[in-house]
Amino acid sequence: TRSAQEFYAANELFRREQWDAAGKSFDDLASSLPGTPYGHAARLYAGRAALRAALSSGRGFCHLRAVGAVGTGRSAAGAGSGHGCSS
């Protein structure tokens, strides 16, 4: 199926440690096919890819707080406040 093919293609990017590309592919799959099992799994894998991208680039916790705020519809401004993050 299309969802399986897209998931495995994104997973191949993840295995190659191409975190940003994998995250985008997983996010696209989750957005375009949200009602499929692969769409649900892709949402989780997009988060894993974002975490790996942040940790490998040194962006770390502050970047993840801002990404999480945007992903949940909250304001990204000051999302990392109180954790040693600059606004």
Side-chain angles (χ1 to χ4, degrees):
T1 66
R2 176 181 159 209
S3 58
Q5 291 171 339
E6 289 185 23
F7 185 87
Y8 286 108
N11 193 55
E12 189 59 32
L13 293 170
F14 188 89
R15 286 179 2 103
R16 292 184 194 151
E17 298 183 4
Q18 296 175 351
W19 312 125
D20 292 328
K24 182 177 180 342
S25 294
F26 283 126
D27 195 45
D28 289 348
L29 171 59
S31 297
S32 65
L33 300 168
T36 67
Y38 284 108
H40 293 293
R43 181 64 56 206
L44 297 173
Y45 277 75
R48 283 183 67 199
L51 174 61
R52 294 285 184 99
L55 294 177
S56 69
S57 69
R59 292 179 285 184
F61 182 78
C62 299
H63 174 72
L64 292 176
R65 295 270 306 193
V67 169
V70 171
T72 59
R74 294 179 287 149
S75 170
S81 61
H83 298 281
C85 304
S86 59
S87 298

XYZ file of all heavy atoms in Angstrom:
628
model
N 0.834 -1.194 0.000
C 0.000 0.000 0.000
C 0.873 1.249 0.000
O 2.061 1.190 0.344
C -0.931 0.026 1.225
O -0.135 0.149 2.394
C -1.811 -1.205 1.303
N 0.239 2.350 -0.346
C 0.962 3.626 -0.405
C 1.535 4.006 0.956
O 2.695 4.439 1.063
C 0.011 4.718 -0.892
C 0.635 6.086 -0.890
C -0.351 7.151 -1.347
N 0.109 8.429 -0.862
C -0.672 9.445 -0.584
N -1.965 9.351 -0.755
N -0.174 10.571 -0.131
N 0.741 3.834 2.009
C 1.218 4.232 3.338
C 2.427 3.401 3.759
O 3.386 3.935 4.323
C 0.101 4.133 4.377
O -0.429 2.825 4.440
N 2.418 2.115 3.463
C 3.557 1.260 3.807
C 4.799 1.667 3.024
O 5.905 1.740 3.585
C 3.221 -0.205 3.541
N 4.628 1.935 1.740
C 5.774 2.335 0.915
C 6.386 3.634 1.417
O 7.612 3.755 1.514
C 5.342 2.487 -0.546
C 4.997 1.183 -1.203
C 4.365 1.375 -2.570
O 3.836 2.436 -2.885
N 4.414 0.338 -3.381
N 5.545 4.614 1.737
C 6.056 5.901 2.220
C 6.727 5.748 3.586
O 7.748 6.375 3.854
C 4.928 6.930 2.277
C 4.469 7.364 0.904
C 3.433 8.470 0.953
O 3.369 9.209 1.956
O 2.680 8.586 -0.028
N 6.137 4.912 4.439
C 6.726 4.699 5.762
C 8.113 4.075 5.631
O 9.069 4.526 6.261
C 5.825 3.812 6.620
C 6.333 3.656 8.022
C 5.994 4.578 8.996
C 7.175 2.612 8.358
C 6.482 4.455 10.294
C 7.669 2.485 9.645
C 7.315 3.399 10.617
N 8.231 3.049 4.819
C 9.525 2.385 4.682
C 10.553 3.269 3.994
O 11.739 3.198 4.305
C 9.370 1.021 4.008
C 8.767 0.024 4.978
C 7.457 -0.409 4.833
C 9.495 -0.436 6.067
C 6.900 -1.290 5.751
C 8.945 -1.309 6.986
C 7.646 -1.741 6.821
O 7.100 -2.598 7.740
N 10.121 4.131 3.090
C 11.051 5.085 2.469
C 11.569 6.074 3.517
O 12.769 6.372 3.571
C 10.371 5.824 1.330
N 10.675 6.578 4.362
C 11.083 7.497 5.424
C 11.979 6.785 6.434
O 12.964 7.351 6.920
C 9.853 8.076 6.125
N 11.661 5.543 6.723
C 12.465 4.780 7.665
C 13.879 4.549 7.136
O 14.848 4.525 7.904
C 11.793 3.443 7.988
C 12.430 2.773 9.174
O 12.525 3.362 10.245
N 12.874 1.546 8.985
N 14.005 4.411 5.839
C 15.339 4.252 5.244
C 16.165 5.525 5.459
O 17.355 5.457 5.762
C 15.228 3.916 3.758
C 16.534 3.521 3.136
C 17.203 2.309 3.775
O 16.508 1.404 4.267
O 18.452 2.280 3.801
N 15.538 6.690 5.327
C 16.235 7.955 5.616
C 16.661 7.992 7.079
O 17.767 8.428 7.409
C 15.326 9.148 5.301
C 14.977 9.359 3.832
C 13.889 10.423 3.699
C 16.210 9.757 3.045
N 15.769 7.533 7.961
C 16.071 7.496 9.391
C 17.271 6.576 9.645
O 18.189 6.937 10.390
C 14.842 7.007 10.162
C 14.977 7.118 11.647
C 14.594 8.272 12.311
C 15.486 6.068 12.397
C 14.710 8.377 13.693
C 15.609 6.167 13.771
C 15.224 7.322 14.418
N 17.282 5.404 9.035
C 18.398 4.461 9.223
C 19.718 5.041 8.740
O 20.770 4.732 9.283
C 18.122 3.145 8.486
C 17.100 2.276 9.157
C 16.790 0.966 8.425
N 17.524 0.700 7.212
C 18.552 -0.169 7.118
N 18.955 -0.831 8.167
N 19.145 -0.372 5.959
N 19.654 5.907 7.739
C 20.867 6.556 7.212
C 21.243 7.803 8.011
O 22.143 8.535 7.625
C 20.653 6.949 5.750
C 20.538 5.789 4.822
C 20.425 6.266 3.396
N 19.987 5.199 2.529
C 19.301 5.383 1.427
N 18.968 6.600 1.032
N 18.938 4.367 0.690
N 20.509 8.044 9.085
C 20.737 9.188 9.976
C 20.545 10.524 9.266
O 21.193 11.512 9.594
C 22.114 9.097 10.637
C 22.257 7.861 11.498
C 23.577 7.766 12.218
O 24.412 8.700 12.135
O 23.783 6.736 12.887
N 19.643 10.561 8.312
C 19.247 11.794 7.642
C 18.006 12.307 8.373
O 16.880 12.217 7.886
C 18.979 11.526 6.156
C 20.214 11.071 5.422
C 19.938 10.683 3.980
O 18.810 10.584 3.545
N 21.007 10.458 3.230
N 18.238 12.810 9.582
C 17.166 13.108 10.532
C 16.145 14.108 10.006
O 14.938 13.888 10.148
C 17.745 13.603 11.847
C 18.851 12.776 12.404
C 20.099 13.211 12.751
C 18.851 11.369 12.686
N 20.851 12.171 13.221
C 20.120 11.024 13.205
C 17.894 10.359 12.551
C 20.452 9.731 13.592
C 18.223 9.066 12.928
C 19.494 8.766 13.442
N 16.596 15.224 9.438
C 15.656 16.242 8.976
C 14.782 15.726 7.837
O 13.567 15.925 7.831
C 16.383 17.526 8.564
C 17.004 18.249 9.750
O 16.445 18.173 10.865
O 18.060 18.883 9.564
N 15.395 15.051 6.883
C 14.639 14.504 5.750
C 13.673 13.418 6.218
O 12.516 13.365 5.771
C 15.592 13.950 4.696
N 14.129 12.570 7.130
C 13.259 11.521 7.663
C 12.088 12.132 8.413
O 10.942 11.708 8.243
C 14.050 10.596 8.582
N 12.368 13.130 9.236
C 11.299 13.789 9.992
C 10.263 14.406 9.080
O 9.053 14.269 9.317
N 10.709 15.059 8.020
C 9.767 15.657 7.072
C 8.942 14.583 6.380
O 7.736 14.715 6.233
C 10.500 16.508 6.045
C 9.535 17.174 5.065
C 10.237 18.073 4.102
C 9.325 18.759 3.114
N 8.006 18.248 2.909
N 9.590 13.488 5.976
C 8.866 12.400 5.311
C 7.828 11.768 6.240
O 6.699 11.518 5.833
C 9.844 11.331 4.820
O 10.658 11.844 3.806
N 8.222 11.516 7.487
C 7.269 10.955 8.444
C 6.123 11.928 8.712
O 4.964 11.533 8.788
C 7.959 10.591 9.763
C 8.755 9.321 9.709
C 10.080 9.311 10.080
C 8.181 8.123 9.310
C 10.826 8.141 10.056
C 8.904 6.946 9.275
C 10.242 6.950 9.656
N 6.455 13.203 8.850
C 5.422 14.206 9.105
C 4.454 14.320 7.923
O 3.242 14.409 8.115
C 6.063 15.560 9.414
C 5.074 16.520 10.027
O 4.322 16.118 10.938
O 5.042 17.685 9.580
N 4.989 14.304 6.711
C 4.139 14.350 5.517
C 3.201 13.145 5.471
O 2.011 13.288 5.164
C 4.988 14.387 4.242
C 5.714 15.710 4.044
O 5.399 16.700 4.754
O 6.621 15.742 3.180
N 3.721 11.974 5.778
C 2.905 10.765 5.782
C 1.813 10.862 6.843
O 0.649 10.568 6.577
C 3.770 9.528 6.028
C 3.034 8.211 6.263
C 2.144 7.850 5.080
C 4.025 7.098 6.547
N 2.184 11.295 8.032
C 1.208 11.407 9.114
C 0.112 12.410 8.775
O -1.056 12.204 9.128
C 1.914 11.807 10.412
N 0.470 13.477 8.067
C -0.515 14.495 7.696
C -1.408 14.047 6.538
O -2.594 14.341 6.522
C 0.194 15.791 7.302
O 0.898 16.309 8.401
N -0.828 13.346 5.573
C -1.601 12.974 4.391
C -2.433 11.705 4.579
O -3.443 11.529 3.925
C -0.688 12.815 3.171
O 0.202 11.737 3.354
N -2.013 10.828 5.471
C -2.730 9.569 5.706
C -2.924 9.330 7.208
O -2.489 8.305 7.741
C -1.969 8.409 5.064
C -1.775 8.500 3.549
C -0.770 7.475 3.068
C -3.104 8.333 2.836
N -3.588 10.254 7.899
C -3.663 10.165 9.363
C -4.483 8.992 9.889
O -4.268 8.554 11.013
C -4.302 11.496 9.760
C -5.126 11.875 8.573
C -4.331 11.393 7.386
N -5.385 8.453 9.099
C -6.253 7.381 9.575
C -5.688 5.988 9.393
O -6.333 5.009 9.741
N -4.485 5.883 8.856
C -3.883 4.568 8.628
C -2.947 4.203 9.777
O -2.431 5.088 10.465
C -3.076 4.556 7.314
O -1.946 5.424 7.460
C -3.932 5.016 6.131
N -2.716 2.914 9.989
C -1.749 2.533 11.025
C -0.366 3.133 10.777
O 0.300 3.565 11.720
C -1.715 0.998 10.930
C -3.056 0.627 10.389
C -3.402 1.741 9.427
N 0.054 3.180 9.513
C 1.356 3.769 9.216
C 1.349 5.277 9.453
O 2.359 5.855 9.847
C 1.787 3.457 7.776
C 2.271 2.041 7.617
C 1.495 1.105 6.941
C 3.498 1.637 8.126
C 1.935 -0.204 6.793
C 3.948 0.342 7.985
C 3.158 -0.578 7.314
O 3.602 -1.872 7.173
N 0.220 5.919 9.230
C 0.104 7.349 9.515
C 0.255 7.636 11.002
O 0.916 8.591 11.399
N -0.348 6.772 11.822
C -0.220 6.925 13.277
C 1.230 6.691 13.722
O 1.777 7.458 14.513
C -1.142 5.946 14.017
C -2.585 6.225 13.839
N -3.204 7.349 14.329
C -3.554 5.515 13.206
C -4.478 7.330 14.016
N -4.722 6.224 13.321
N 1.842 5.639 13.205
C 3.233 5.345 13.569
C 4.168 6.441 13.077
O 5.136 6.799 13.761
C 3.652 3.994 12.989
N 3.867 6.998 11.916
C 4.711 8.053 11.350
C 4.772 9.269 12.264
O 5.810 9.932 12.358
C 4.215 8.452 9.965
N 3.679 9.583 12.952
C 3.670 10.718 13.880
C 4.704 10.486 14.981
O 5.449 11.402 15.351
C 2.266 10.896 14.468
C 2.115 12.045 15.415
C 2.318 13.407 14.813
N 1.444 13.648 13.690
C 1.709 14.479 12.695
N 2.837 15.158 12.688
N 0.887 14.638 11.697
N 4.792 9.281 15.496
C 5.778 8.970 16.540
C 7.206 9.018 15.987
O 8.110 9.553 16.636
C 5.505 7.587 17.129
C 4.168 7.431 17.843
C 3.945 5.979 18.224
C 4.102 8.324 19.064
N 7.390 8.459 14.817
C 8.724 8.451 14.207
C 9.176 9.861 13.836
O 10.366 10.148 13.873
C 8.757 7.528 12.995
C 8.976 6.080 13.368
C 7.957 5.320 13.917
C 10.207 5.479 13.179
C 8.152 3.998 14.269
C 10.420 4.160 13.520
C 9.387 3.415 14.072
O 9.592 2.117 14.422
N 8.241 10.734 13.478
C 8.606 12.128 13.198
C 9.201 12.762 14.456
O 10.189 13.503 14.383
C 7.391 12.919 12.715
N 8.623 12.448 15.601
C 9.158 12.946 16.861
C 10.536 12.388 17.164
O 11.420 13.116 17.628
N 10.732 11.114 16.896
C 12.053 10.502 17.098
C 13.087 11.162 16.212
O 14.214 11.429 16.637
C 12.009 9.010 16.777
C 11.391 8.156 17.840
C 11.467 6.695 17.476
N 12.853 6.231 17.463
C 13.258 5.143 16.840
N 12.414 4.409 16.155
N 14.522 4.776 16.883
N 12.715 11.425 14.961
C 13.650 12.059 14.029
C 13.980 13.476 14.488
O 15.129 13.913 14.400
C 13.077 12.064 12.618
N 12.976 14.205 14.990
C 13.217 15.560 15.490
C 14.163 15.539 16.683
O 15.063 16.383 16.789
C 11.897 16.229 15.872
N 13.985 14.574 17.560
C 14.871 14.441 18.716
C 16.305 14.148 18.264
O 17.249 14.803 18.716
C 14.387 13.318 19.631
C 15.294 12.976 20.812
C 15.451 14.172 21.743
C 14.741 11.779 21.561
N 16.464 13.201 17.358
C 17.793 12.867 16.869
C 18.437 14.060 16.162
O 19.628 14.313 16.324
C 17.733 11.679 15.908
C 17.307 10.384 16.555
C 18.455 9.809 17.386
N 18.129 8.535 17.947
C 18.501 7.366 17.446
N 19.224 7.310 16.354
N 18.160 6.256 18.035
N 17.644 14.797 15.370
C 18.174 15.969 14.661
C 18.650 17.016 15.657
O 19.729 17.589 15.507
C 17.117 16.557 13.727
N 17.854 17.250 16.689
C 18.209 18.260 17.681
C 19.461 17.869 18.448
O 20.348 18.696 18.665
C 17.041 18.481 18.637
N 19.536 16.627 18.849
C 20.690 16.180 19.630
C 21.958 16.133 18.789
O 23.034 16.468 19.279
C 20.401 14.816 20.247
C 19.290 14.803 21.291
C 19.034 13.379 21.772
C 19.595 15.728 22.445
N 21.853 15.740 17.537
C 23.052 15.645 16.704
C 23.565 17.012 16.254
O 24.732 17.154 15.947
C 22.797 14.760 15.481
O 21.907 15.382 14.585
N 22.691 18.015 16.250
C 23.118 19.340 15.803
C 23.496 20.255 16.962
O 23.935 21.367 16.739
C 22.000 20.001 15.001
O 20.923 20.328 15.869
N 23.275 19.789 18.180
C 23.575 20.615 19.340
C 22.458 21.578 19.702
O 22.598 22.382 20.602
N 21.329 21.497 18.991
C 20.206 22.394 19.311
C 19.558 21.992 20.623
O 19.085 22.825 21.354
C 19.168 22.372 18.180
C 19.684 23.007 16.904
C 18.674 22.949 15.813
N 18.612 21.583 15.282
C 17.883 21.206 14.260
N 17.101 22.087 13.658
N 17.898 19.973 13.826
N 19.519 20.716 20.922
C 19.096 20.179 22.195
C 17.717 20.562 22.687
O 16.793 20.794 21.925
N 17.601 20.634 24.002
C 16.322 20.778 24.688
C 15.539 22.020 24.282
O 14.340 21.958 24.065
C 16.565 20.775 26.206
C 15.300 20.874 27.000
C 14.497 19.769 27.158
C 14.922 22.074 27.578
C 13.318 19.847 27.885
C 13.752 22.163 28.299
C 12.952 21.046 28.462
N 16.199 23.149 24.182
C 15.495 24.401 23.873
C 14.819 24.329 22.514
O 13.672 24.748 22.355
C 16.453 25.584 23.917
S 17.201 25.805 25.547
N 15.512 23.761 21.537
C 14.935 23.613 20.203
C 13.724 22.682 20.251
O 12.695 22.955 19.655
C 15.978 23.084 19.228
C 15.436 22.773 17.877
N 15.059 23.758 16.994
C 15.175 21.588 17.271
C 14.595 23.189 15.891
N 14.663 21.879 16.038
N 13.834 21.586 20.988
C 12.725 20.639 21.069
C 11.511 21.250 21.752
O 10.384 20.987 21.355
C 13.163 19.374 21.809
C 14.171 18.527 21.073
C 14.594 17.356 21.935
C 13.615 18.050 19.746
N 11.727 22.069 22.755
C 10.595 22.738 23.407
C 9.862 23.629 22.415
O 8.644 23.659 22.371
C 11.069 23.565 24.602
C 11.661 22.782 25.733
C 10.646 22.373 26.716
N 9.913 23.547 27.172
C 9.125 23.553 28.216
N 9.005 22.475 28.925
N 8.474 24.622 28.557
N 10.598 24.358 21.591
C 9.978 25.241 20.598
C 9.248 24.430 19.531
O 8.131 24.759 19.148
C 11.027 26.151 19.961
N 9.858 23.335 19.057
C 9.209 22.480 18.058
C 7.942 21.878 18.639
O 6.896 21.852 17.996
C 10.176 21.369 17.580
C 9.442 20.315 16.766
C 11.308 21.972 16.783
N 7.993 21.418 19.863
C 6.824 20.844 20.515
C 5.712 21.849 20.690
O 4.538 21.535 20.517
N 6.072 23.082 21.014
C 5.064 24.125 21.179
C 4.359 24.398 19.863
O 3.138 24.521 19.808
C 5.706 25.411 21.710
N 5.107 24.460 18.782
C 4.512 24.700 17.467
C 3.640 23.515 17.077
O 2.532 23.675 16.594
C 5.611 24.961 16.411
C 5.018 24.995 15.012
C 6.322 26.271 16.720
N 4.131 22.296 17.315
C 3.388 21.096 16.947
C 2.086 20.923 17.695
O 1.174 20.260 17.212
N 1.972 21.527 18.870
C 0.744 21.406 19.648
C -0.109 22.664 19.576
O -1.128 22.761 20.240
C 1.056 21.106 21.128
O 1.869 22.161 21.650
C 1.753 19.775 21.278
N 0.318 23.642 18.782
C -0.471 24.851 18.607
C -0.222 25.912 19.659
O -0.871 26.943 19.670
N 0.708 25.676 20.564
C 1.035 26.680 21.571
C 2.032 27.668 21.004
O 2.650 27.410 19.983
C 1.631 26.021 22.821
C 0.619 25.140 23.545
C 1.232 24.487 24.751
N 2.136 23.439 24.273
C 3.230 23.065 24.895
N 3.591 23.628 26.005
N 3.988 22.118 24.404
N 2.204 28.758 21.688
C 3.170 29.760 21.244
C 4.580 29.249 21.438
O 4.922 28.715 22.492
C 2.989 31.049 22.048
O 4.052 31.935 21.802
N 5.398 29.412 20.421
C 6.801 28.999 20.527
C 7.619 30.029 21.289
O 8.695 29.727 21.776
C 7.396 28.796 19.133
N 7.122 31.238 21.419
C 7.841 32.296 22.127
C 7.969 31.924 23.598
O 6.993 31.700 24.280
C 7.113 33.622 21.974
N 9.186 31.805 24.050
C 9.423 31.489 25.451
C 9.151 30.042 25.809
O 9.043 29.713 26.977
N 9.022 29.194 24.824
C 8.699 27.786 25.094
C 9.751 27.119 25.963
O 9.452 26.216 26.714
C 8.551 27.007 23.791
N 10.991 27.574 25.886
C 12.040 26.958 26.667
C 12.360 27.710 27.943
O 13.297 27.359 28.636
N 11.596 28.761 28.258
C 11.918 29.579 29.428
C 11.907 28.725 30.695
O 11.118 27.811 30.842
C 10.932 30.738 29.553
O 9.632 30.256 29.719
N 12.809 29.039 31.574
C 12.921 28.308 32.802
C 13.844 27.103 32.696
O 14.016 26.365 33.642
N 14.433 26.871 31.548
C 15.299 25.731 31.346
C 16.649 26.147 30.796
O 17.307 25.379 30.105
C 14.644 24.734 30.403
C 13.369 24.181 30.928
N 13.324 23.180 31.875
C 12.081 24.508 30.682
C 12.072 22.907 32.165
N 11.306 23.702 31.454
N 17.048 27.374 31.046
C 18.325 27.845 30.570
C 18.322 28.212 29.091
O 19.369 28.323 28.481
N 17.138 28.386 28.523
C 17.013 28.717 27.108
C 16.794 30.227 26.966
O 16.100 30.830 27.759
C 15.816 28.003 26.489
S 15.858 26.221 26.707
N 17.394 30.796 25.930
C 17.160 32.216 25.680
C 15.890 32.375 24.863
O 15.552 31.531 24.058
C 18.343 32.839 24.941
O 18.548 32.176 23.715
N 15.174 33.459 25.079
C 13.902 33.685 24.385
C 14.122 34.298 23.037
O 15.014 34.996 22.780
C 13.005 34.603 25.184
O 12.708 33.983 26.410
